[in-house]
Amino acid sequence: ITILTGDCGTLRCVAGNDDGVQNCGEQSSVLWYATRGETYYILVHGKGADRGDFTLTVNPIASYVHNDYCEDATRLEIGSTYTG
């Protein structure tokens, strides 16, 4: 999983993970501190050439999903789970 920010033509990586920590096993987990007003894009991709379905859960740590194209991104709501 990769977290990106910026304009579609100049996206830059904010965070990423493959085979997460925190007892996730073969699942990825990523943590980053979002900046208010900044737009983030979450790219869900397989390990190496692996492909398949996924479940994405977004949770806050303190008080867009079916595609990886900026123009068709789906807005994510905190505490919601998404599948694809």
Side-chain angles (χ1 to χ4, degrees):
I1 189 168
T2 304
I3 310 301
L4 305 154
T5 190
D7 296 322
C8 267
T10 59
L11 291 173
R12 62 189 181 282
C13 181
V14 174
N17 183 269
D18 182 22
D19 295 342
V21 294
Q22 304 167 351
N23 300 317
C24 277
E26 290 291 316
Q27 300 175 25
S28 294
S29 174
V30 66
L31 168 68
W32 86 98
Y33 295 96
T35 301
R36 183 182 301 270
E38 187 79 25
T39 299
Y40 296 93
Y41 300 94
I42 301 174
L43 174 61
V44 178
H45 47 89
K47 181 178 181 180
D50 290 348
R51 304 176 71 136
D53 296 333
F54 67 89
T55 298
L56 177 67
T57 302
V58 180
N59 290 311
I61 60 167
S63 295
Y64 301 129
V65 174
H66 66 285
N67 63 61
D68 60 355
Y69 300 104
C70 293
E71 62 271 7
D72 295 324
T74 302
R75 182 178 178 86
L76 299 178
E77 300 296 331
I78 299 297
S80 296
T81 298
Y82 301 86
T83 58

